[in-house]
C-alpha cells in the first residue's frame, strides 16, 4: 500500500537558518503530494502541494519539488523564523478509491531566536 | 479558501458519558468528510470516512458502535464518542473534501477530548 516516510524530529534551528525536512514515498501510479503544517493546538493547514512529477510547490517561502525518480518531496526554506515553529506533515493522495490522504509521521520544527 | 469548523474546540467529560463533536464545511458542500484521531506527538490516524446520506466506512480496528458517525447533510458530519473512557482522550480532527477543487481536503481546527 501507499506509505510516506519523513525524517524524525525534533529539528532545532536558529532563526534565519536553512531548513530541509526529508520526505520519501511509496505509491503506485502518480500520486499528488502535499505538505501540511500544524501549529500547537490547531488542526492541519495545507502548506503546499504538487500534482505531477517535476512540479514545484511553494508558499510562504517554503518549497518542495516532486521528484519521481527518487520518490521524494523534500521541504525547504531558505531562512526560517521563530513563527515557523510547528509540526510538518508530508502526505500523498494516491489512486485509491476514496482519494484518501496517507500521512507521514510528522516532523516537529523548533526555531530559536 | 474553503473553511471547515469544528465544535467544540475542547471538551471534558466523565467516564461513561457520551460526547458529540460537530464538523461543518462553511462555504462548500462536502459529500465526503473524514475523521482522524491524533495522539500526542504522533501523526493522524484515519478513523472513518463519512459519506452524506449513507453509512460511514470505518478503518480496521475502529469500533463503529463506540464512534458513531452521522453525515446527515452536505455541510455537517458528527462524531459521537459513546460511553467514553479515559483512553478515548485524544485530539480529534475532521476534514472535508471539496468535490469542486481536485478533491482537496480541508481540515478543521480539531477538538481536544479529555475523559476523566
Amino acid at each position: 500500500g501507499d506509505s510516506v516516510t519523513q525524517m524524525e524530529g525534533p529539528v532545532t534551528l536558529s532563526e534565519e537558518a536553512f531548513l530541509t525536512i526529508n520526505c520519501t514515498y511509496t505509491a503506485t501510479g502518480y500520486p499528488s503530494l502535499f505538505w501540511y503544517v500544524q501549529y500547537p493546538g490547531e488542526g492541519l493547514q495545507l502548506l503546499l502541494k504538487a500534482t505531477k512529477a517535476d512540479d514545484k510547490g511553494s508558499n510562504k517561502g517554503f518549497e518542495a519539488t516532486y521528484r519521481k525518480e527518487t520518490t521524494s518531496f523534500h521541504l525547504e526554506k531558505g531562512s526560517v523564523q521563530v513563527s515557523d515553529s510547528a509540526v510538518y506533515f508530508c502526505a500523498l493522495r494516491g489512486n485509491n478509491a476514496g482519494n484518501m490522504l496517507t500521512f507521514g509521521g510528522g516532523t516537529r520544527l523548533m526555531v530559536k531566536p | 479558501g474553503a473553511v471547515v469548523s469544528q465544535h467544540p474546540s475542547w471538551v471534558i467529560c466523565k467516564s461513561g458519558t457520551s460526547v458529540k463533536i460537530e464538523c461543518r464545511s462553511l462555504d462548500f458542500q462536502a459529500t465526503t468528510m473524514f475523521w482522524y484521531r491524533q495522539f500526542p506527538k504522533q501523526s493522524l490516524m484515519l478513523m472513518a470516512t463519512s459519506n452524506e446520506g449513507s453509512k460511514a466506512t470505518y478503518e480496521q480496528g475502529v469500533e463503529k458502535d463506540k464512534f458513531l458517525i452521522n453525515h446527515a447533510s452536505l455541510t455537517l458530519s458528527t462524531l459521537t464518542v459513546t460511553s467514553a473512557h479515559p483512553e478515548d482522550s485524544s485530539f480529534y480532527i475532521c476534514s472535508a473534501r471539496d468535490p469542486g477543487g481536485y478533491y482537496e481536503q480541508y481540515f478543521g481546527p480539531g477538538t481536544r477530548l479529555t475523559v476523566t
Side-chain angles (χ1 to χ4, degrees), chain A:
Chain A
D2 297 344
S3 67
V4 177
T5 303
Q6 58 183 107
M7 61 190 291
E8 290 189 21
V11 174
T12 304
L13 296 173
S14 297
E15 208 165 21
E16 300 184 3
F18 184 86
L19 168 71
T20 300
I21 300 178
N22 290 338
C23 171
T24 57
Y25 68 90
T26 302
T28 55
Y30 302 93
S32 295
L33 302 174
F34 305 82
W35 277 102
Y36 287 88
V37 58
Q38 184 180 33
Y39 297 101
E42 299 184 12
L44 271 66
Q45 299 175 29
L46 178 64
L47 181 60
L48 53 83
K49 67 178 181 182
T51 58
K52 62 182 187 296
D54 299 326
D55 267 3
K56 177 186 285 187
S58 61
N59 185 27
K60 300 180 181 179
F62 291 90
E63 294 183 340
T65 301
Y66 188 143
R67 301 286 188 198
K68 191 164 179 63
E69 63 275 14
T70 55
T71 61
S72 65
F73 193 54
H74 304 323
L75 181 68
E76 296 181 336
K77 186 174 185 181
S79 176
V80 293
Q81 305 300 313
V82 173
S83 57
D84 294 326
S85 298
V87 180
Y88 293 82
F89 291 95
C90 184
L92 71 81
R93 186 177 66 220
N95 300 314
N96 55 73
N99 294 113
M100 293 182 292
L101 289 169
T102 299
F103 286 92
T107 302
R108 183 175 300 276
L109 170 65
M110 298 171 60
V111 181
K112 296 183 176 180

Side-chain angles (χ1 to χ4, degrees), chain A residues 34 36 38 41-44 46 49 89 93 98-101 103-106 108, chain B residues 34 36 38 41-44 46 49 59 91 93 97 102-105 107-109:
Chain A
F34 305 82
Y36 287 88
Q38 184 180 33
E42 299 184 12
L44 271 66
L46 178 64
K49 67 178 181 182
F89 291 95
R93 186 177 66 220
N99 294 113
M100 293 182 292
L101 289 169
F103 286 92
R108 183 175 300 276
Chain B
F34 302 91
Y36 296 84
Q38 185 181 30
K41 298 184 179 181
Q42 294 189 25
S43 189
L44 281 72
L46 179 65
T49 302
E59 296 299 301
F91 195 53
I93 302 175
R97 191 165 68 193
Y102 293 101
Y103 295 95
E104 213 65 76
Q105 278 191 42
F107 288 81

Side-chain angles (χ1 to χ4, degrees), chain B:
Chain B
V3 179
V4 175
S5 69
Q6 276 185 247
H7 179 79
S9 55
W10 59 271
V11 57
I12 301 173
C13 70
K14 293 185 177 180
S15 288
T17 62
S18 295
V19 174
K20 180 184 286 188
I21 302 170
E22 294 185 347
C23 177
R24 294 180 185 274
S25 57
L26 299 185
D27 49 5
F28 65 99
Q29 293 184 329
T31 54
T32 303
M33 293 184 173
F34 302 91
W35 286 97
Y36 296 84
R37 184 172 179 177
Q38 185 181 30
F39 291 102
K41 298 184 179 181
Q42 294 189 25
S43 189
L44 281 72
M45 180 191 77
L46 179 65
M47 299 175 64
T49 302
S50 169
N51 298 298
E52 187 268 336
S54 63
K55 291 182 179 180
T57 303
Y58 290 82
E59 296 299 301
Q60 192 172 10
V62 178
E63 300 176 60
K64 60 180 67 176
D65 294 331
K66 180 167 187 62
F67 298 100
L68 301 179
I69 291 173
N70 184 282
H71 193 158
S73 78
L74 288 172
T75 60
L76 173 64
S77 175
T78 60
L79 168 68
T80 301
V81 183
T82 63
S83 186
H85 292 285
E87 57 265 31
D88 297 325
S89 298
S90 191
F91 195 53
Y92 293 87
I93 302 175
C94 76
S95 70
R97 191 165 68 193
D98 181 0
Y102 293 101
Y103 295 95
E104 213 65 76
Q105 278 191 42
Y106 297 94
F107 288 81
T111 297
R112 181 161 303 284
L113 169 64
T114 301
V115 184
T116 60

